[in-house]
Amino acid sequence: TAYTSGETGIAYEMEPGQCYQIAAAAATYTNGQEVTAAASGRVAAAASTNVVIGHVDLGAGVSSRVVAAGEQIDVVIANRYTKA
């Protein structure tokens, strides 16, 4: 839908170090795990040659978490790089 005169929008320019809640693909994620942009606008675990966009932040004392498809997880944005 196009904006009409007088309407406004809000957007974020993600910067390294910022934390966002982002919908994730179904999986078990570990704290600090590298993630990449995946299908349906979700993040997923980064594999070799994927572009890493951030790291999972599960909070202090949490080592892993099972996530359902579309569930949001905290992701700290990284300077993007290709995973070796």
Side-chain angles (χ1 to χ4, degrees):
T1 303
Y3 287 108
T4 60
S5 178
E7 288 186 327
T8 60
I10 298 173
Y12 294 97
E13 185 171 336
M14 295 181 177
E15 297 178 9
Q18 293 178 335
C19 186
Y20 291 88
Q21 287 191 327
I22 303 175
T28 299
Y29 292 90
T30 58
N31 207 19
Q33 183 173 2
E34 298 165 311
V35 291
T36 190
S40 300
R42 298 176 179 163
V43 293
S48 179
T49 73
N50 287 155
V51 174
V52 174
I53 62 164
H55 303 88
V56 175
D57 182 2
L58 299 176
V62 180
S63 60
S64 67
R65 179 173 146 204
V66 176
V67 174
E71 187 176 347
Q72 294 186 341
I73 58 173
D74 288 344
V75 175
V76 177
I77 303 304
N79 262 332
R80 67 179 189 259
Y81 60 90
T82 302
K83 184 171 176 152

